[in-house]
Structures are given as structure tokens and as C-alpha cells.
Amino acid sequence: MAETLSNQSMEKLSERLSVLDNLYFPRAHQSSASTPSQRKSLLLDLLSRDVPLFLERYGTQLTSDELNEFETLKYDYEINWHLNHLRSVISPTQEDLKSRSVKIKNRRRAYLDKLLSDGQYFSEDAMREREPYLHHEYLGKFQDPSGRSMARPGERWSETLMRQSEEAALVKKIRDEQQRRGVAQSDWVGFDAQELENMQEEEEEEEETEEEEEEEDEEEQDKDEKDMSTNRQEAHPNNPDASDDTPSERRRPAMMDSLSTEEMQERLDQFAYIMQEKFLLGEDGLDYSKIDEDETLDDHWMKEANYDAEEKYFDDD
């Protein structure tokens, strides 16, 4: 290259970058880049012989003022491209922000297509692990839960125990969310007949205690009404079924509805669609920076654009 930065500028840039932690160096140079002076020497060498490569590797570490040092070299196409790109990152215009937003959406969509093709990340079991309550609302409450805890063919006992432990943890998450949302206790996941029986016994004992206390109060207040009170109790004995809204009715566990295969598939499709939208919106707990900055994902959309162009060409024909 005919022109380079001034010696003073190169010294200043290399000096500052050489003391940065975790600065990238190719594997071949890592052994000779252990001290700041060594790193400075390598940076000076690269800066003097290949400015575009220097900007590609270290441009994101430069300030706006430091980028301005390269203005005298922007006649070079590569250097000019790197400068424009770096400035759009450091001080983006509205157009830059809009373009980046579209690019991120496209890259996430491309990565989503890869995950769908792989089949594992958006399998029902994997999605249930990430969103157990949502899965329960769409599918789980229509499925037989006993099969999830049973030993599977060819499975070791230790693997069965591990899976049962993981299943118990998921059920607890679902219950915790149901409690947080104020779901009726009879609708809690895992709510069984034994729990219902225990609850009914406790309620009956409480009701009997309350009625005994009421009777004692009535007798103390007015002994003359004893006969009337006795008649009223004979007409309405202590029966929890006497009310239209008894505790046993309110808390009776709902029977597991039976859905057809087609209905279950439709609910699975709805659940999967919601999970895919959560992924695209960045709500899936992943390191989205790796996806959003992955330029190789742009190839996916270039192929899509070429395919669409070919389709349009033949349609117009």
C-alpha cells in the first residue's frame, strides 16, 4: 500500500491496544504475544502492512477519534467499507438501526430454521423442559402423567431414577406457577384422590368443630330455644352434601379430558408456534449475541432470495 498512517498514529494505537485484556491474536502468534511490548510489536507490524485486516480484527476496539485517523486511506475500497461499517456500529443512524434490526430478525429466523431441521431443540420434551407450565396448559393436562415416570425399555435403573427426579422438578415448577396464578387446588398438576380424601376429612372435622361450637353458644345464650335448635338440626343434619357449593364439589379434581389425535396435534402445533415466537423475540435464555452477529447466517437468506427470484421469474413467464 502506497500510504499508511503516520508513525505517531501507529505508535499511539498500538500502545493503547497492547494493554487490553483478551485481545485476539492468531494461534500462530499467541506464544509471542504474552507481554504488552510483544503485542505492540505484532500490532505495529500488521498495521504497517495490512490496514484492512487490522480494521477487521481490531476495529471494534477503536474509538471514533481513532477511526478518523484512517480517513486519509479511505480511497481504498476495503478500508472505506470497514470504516463505514464500524461507524454504523459506534454511532448508528436511524437507517443503520433499521437495517440492523432487519438483519437480526433474518439471522434469528435462519437459526430457527436450522434448529427446526435438527429436530431436537423444538421437540415436545425439550420445549416442555423450557416452559413446563405452558406445556401443561396446552398438552400436559390432557396426557397421562404416569407414563413419564415409568421405566423405559433398555433404560438403566440409574437413568430411570434421574429422569424421575427431573420429572418431579418439572412438576414442582408447574405447581409453583399454578399457585402463583391462583389456580384452584383441585386443578393442580399431580393432584390425586388421596389428597382429595385428606382434604375432605380435614374439612369435615373443621365443620363438625364449628357446628359443635355454634350449638354450645346457642345453648348458653338461650336454653329455651333448645328444642327449636334440635328440630332445626334434625331437619338439616351435618351433611356436606346439603349445600349446592360444598367444599367437595369445589375441590373435586377435574377428570382428564380425552382429546382426539388430531386435536392433540393441533394443540402441539399451537404450543410449538408460541415457543418459536419466543425464540425469535429473544426470550429463550440463549446467548443471542452469537446468533445476531453470525454473518454466516446471511447465506441462508441469500439462497432464499435467489430461490424467490427464480420462482418469480418462472411465474411471470
Side-chain angles (χ1 to χ4, degrees):
M1 184 176 294
E3 293 186 32
T4 61
L5 297 180
S6 66
N7 290 335
Q8 182 180 1
S9 296
M10 289 194 294
E11 282 282 338
K12 187 176 179 180
L13 283 173
S14 301
E15 181 74 30
R16 189 181 72 80
L17 293 178
S18 67
V19 298
L20 296 181
D21 293 330
N22 301 319
L23 196 66
Y24 168 79
F25 286 96
R27 185 182 299 273
H29 296 295
Q30 287 179 2
S31 60
S32 58
S34 57
T35 66
S37 61
Q38 291 176 326
R39 292 195 288 270
K40 178 181 177 181
S41 177
L42 291 171
L43 291 167
L44 276 172
D45 176 67
L46 179 61
L47 191 51
S48 61
R49 61 182 173 80
D50 197 336
V51 174
L53 183 57
F54 178 89
L55 291 173
E56 180 182 336
R57 287 183 185 172
Y58 308 112
T60 55
Q61 306 289 338
L62 303 180
T63 66
S64 296
D65 291 339
E66 288 171 336
L67 286 178
N68 290 336
E69 296 284 344
F70 294 87
E71 279 295 306
T72 57
L73 308 178
K74 69 177 184 179
Y75 64 85
D76 182 282
Y77 173 80
E78 285 188 87
I79 294 176
N80 189 50
W81 185 91
H82 282 295
L83 291 176
N84 289 335
H85 171 69
L86 292 168
R87 287 194 176 106
S88 71
V89 174
I90 295 174
S91 302
T93 63
Q94 286 299 319
E95 189 64 29
D96 291 332
L97 292 174
K98 181 179 178 180
S99 175
R100 175 167 173 75
S101 176
V102 171
K103 188 175 293 184
I104 287 175
K105 289 179 181 178
N106 288 342
R107 288 175 179 175
R108 290 184 184 181
R109 173 62 67 177
Y111 199 79
L112 172 66
D113 289 345
K114 290 175 64 176
L115 292 174
L116 289 172
S117 178
D118 175 65
Q120 176 58 36
Y121 190 79
F122 284 103
S123 67
E124 182 180 346
D125 286 343
M127 292 189 293
R128 180 174 181 260
E129 287 182 10
R130 297 197 298 278
E131 288 290 344
Y133 176 75
L134 192 61
H135 175 274
H136 177 75
E137 287 299 298
Y138 274 89
L139 296 157
K141 61 186 177 183
F142 305 105
Q143 297 172 333
D144 183 1
S146 61
R148 297 187 182 278
S149 300
M150 294 175 61
R152 298 174 181 175
E155 188 176 58
R156 296 178 180 176
W157 177 239
S158 59
E159 294 172 338
T160 302
L161 290 177
M162 178 63 72
R163 188 164 49 76
Q164 289 175 344
S165 175
E166 293 171 350
E167 177 63 21
L170 287 178
V171 170
K172 184 180 185 304
K173 286 183 179 180
I174 297 171
R175 271 208 178 189
D176 289 346
E177 184 64 18
Q178 288 176 323
Q179 292 174 2
R180 190 185 71 82
R181 292 171 178 260
V183 175
Q185 195 169 5
S186 60
D187 293 328
W188 287 359
V189 61
F191 189 86
D192 55 23
Q194 184 61 48
E195 284 184 282
L196 175 62
E197 185 178 339
N198 293 339
M199 287 174 54
Q200 287 177 336
E201 289 178 358
E202 291 177 2
E203 288 173 351
E204 289 174 1
E205 290 176 1
E206 290 177 1
E207 289 174 0
E208 290 175 0
T209 301
E210 289 176 0
E211 297 221 358
E212 287 175 0
E213 292 175 352
E214 289 176 1
E215 289 175 3
E216 291 176 359
D217 290 342
E218 288 176 359
E219 289 176 358
E220 290 178 359
Q221 289 176 3
D222 191 356
K223 293 182 179 180
D224 293 337
E225 295 181 1
K226 181 177 180 181
D227 293 337
M228 184 182 300
S229 175
T230 301
N231 293 335
R232 184 167 60 251
Q233 291 174 23
E234 290 176 352
H236 300 286
N238 298 336
N239 184 356
D241 293 333
S243 170
D244 291 336
D245 187 22
T246 64
S248 60
E249 283 290 328
R250 290 195 305 270
R251 300 197 181 188
R252 183 180 66 246
M255 297 297 290
M256 186 172 65
D257 295 328
S258 177
L259 299 182
S260 67
T261 303
E262 291 76 14
E263 289 173 319
M264 288 297 289
Q265 183 60 50
E266 182 178 354
R267 296 186 73 85
L268 176 58
D269 292 341
Q270 293 171 353
F271 175 54
Y273 175 79
I274 292 174
M275 294 298 290
Q276 291 169 25
E277 288 299 305
K278 286 172 65 67
F279 171 83
L280 294 174
L281 292 172
E283 300 175 357
D284 234 5
L286 298 173
D287 183 359
Y288 280 89
S289 62
K290 293 182 179 179
I291 300 172
D292 298 344
E293 301 299 330
D294 188 354
E295 296 181 356
T296 63
L297 294 171
D298 296 338
D299 296 340
H300 173 87
W301 291 104
M302 291 179 66
K303 293 176 183 177
E304 290 287 324
N306 291 336
Y307 178 79
D308 291 342
E310 290 177 5
E311 287 289 303
K312 186 176 185 303
Y313 173 79
F314 288 113
D315 288 343
D316 293 343
D317 221 19

